[in-house]
Amino acid sequence: MRFLFSLIALVGALFVLPATAQVLDVKVPGRAPAASPTDPENIWLLDLSTGGRVKIWLRPDVAPKMVERIKTLTRQHFYDGLTFHRVIEGFMAQAGDPKGDGTGGSDLPDVPAEFNYLPHVRGAVAAARQGSAPNADDETRIKAENSANSQFFIVFQPKLQLDKDYTVFGRVIDGMQYVDAIHRGEPPADPSRILHAYIAADNPPPYQPAPAAAPAATPTVLPGTRPANAAPQPAGE
């Protein structure tokens, strides 16, 4: 009986290891060592209009081209001021389009697909790409798969059906509450914004909230006059 319990425990450990290897940074044969989550060169910081800073662990070990693109555009201040233009409850928040409608990107060439083993779990950050119809021919499908550029999305809830169909290049490790607060809509009526984006190695300043909107000016009414938009008085009054 003791042997049977030991055998069950051993089999269970074999199933648990692949799922926990990423979290525990266990070395898996055939895989490049994971980038350190404490290396500031691989920490992407997004200061959001929803109230705080989001810290994202970048993974150049599995998506080196997309991570390099994110670093390049961030250091060019490309993401500063851009909106989350497509935000679906229970799914994801998408940003990184200078046009704000999902059709734009940077002036740099598109990034080829780097599909990998990282799952689309809560907080996963993946490259958005131009879609293709389910019945598209192989050439169109391959072109779509290699159409990532500047846009990305952050997953609210696990969507494992997307695994190996989009390039996951990072994971939120702090500040997910500010992602949860992003305004929903396609597009949102009042879109949330990336105030600033930084690479932690560049010694960014502390988070600073967006300036409060100035109140509307109240028109000055001189004695004996009425505001221009006031209703006319009835005759005799």
Side-chain angles (χ1 to χ4, degrees):
M1 183 65 69
R2 181 176 300 175
F3 172 76
L4 180 60
F5 284 137
S6 299
L7 182 61
I8 293 173
L10 177 60
V11 173
L14 293 176
F15 280 101
V16 170
L17 178 59
T20 58
Q22 179 188 347
V23 177
L24 300 178
D25 198 19
V26 175
K27 291 184 178 180
V28 178
R31 291 183 183 176
S36 171
T38 61
D39 180 3
E41 183 60 32
N42 290 312
I43 299 297
W44 191 27
L45 305 174
L46 299 180
D47 288 359
L48 302 188
S49 62
T50 52
R53 174 168 288 176
V54 178
K55 182 184 292 187
I56 296 169
W57 173 25
L58 298 175
R59 296 294 302 272
D61 53 299
V62 296
K65 293 182 176 64
M66 193 63 207
V67 168
E68 185 59 35
R69 173 58 53 85
I70 291 295
K71 291 180 180 180
T72 297
L73 293 179
T74 296
R75 286 169 167 150
Q76 293 176 354
H77 306 286
F78 175 88
Y79 291 107
D80 294 3
L82 298 190
T83 64
F84 285 89
H85 62 272
R86 182 170 179 251
V87 186
I88 303 174
E89 180 65 41
F91 181 16
M92 59 87 211
Q94 184 171 337
D97 177 11
K99 292 184 178 180
D101 60 6
T103 65
S106 75
D107 293 332
L108 299 176
D110 290 344
V111 180
E114 297 175 292
F115 303 153
N116 54 68
Y117 62 85
L118 295 181
H120 288 76
V121 293
R122 174 171 164 79
V125 185
R129 57 179 172 80
Q130 186 179 14
S132 61
N135 60 348
D137 57 44
D138 288 345
E139 183 178 354
T140 302
R141 177 181 55 78
I142 292 172
K143 182 178 179 181
E145 289 178 350
N146 293 287
S147 64
N149 191 289
S150 62
Q151 294 188 46
F152 65 94
F153 61 92
I154 305 175
V155 179
F156 290 130
Q157 299 297 335
K159 292 292 179 181
L160 303 185
Q161 64 268 36
L162 300 180
D163 290 359
K164 297 185 179 180
D165 201 25
Y166 290 83
T167 298
V168 178
F169 63 87
R171 176 95 178 260
V172 174
I173 57 176
D174 190 36
M176 191 64 190
Q177 67 271 30
Y178 306 120
V179 176
D180 290 334
I182 293 172
H183 298 171
R184 272 57 167 170
E186 299 182 70
D190 179 24
S192 303
R193 293 182 175 273
I194 301 171
L195 301 178
H196 299 284
Y198 305 102
I199 301 300
D202 297 340
N203 298 315
Y207 173 82
Q208 297 179 359
T218 302
T220 302
V221 181
L222 299 176
T225 64
R226 293 186 298 108
N229 59 350
Q233 296 291 329
E237 293 188 8

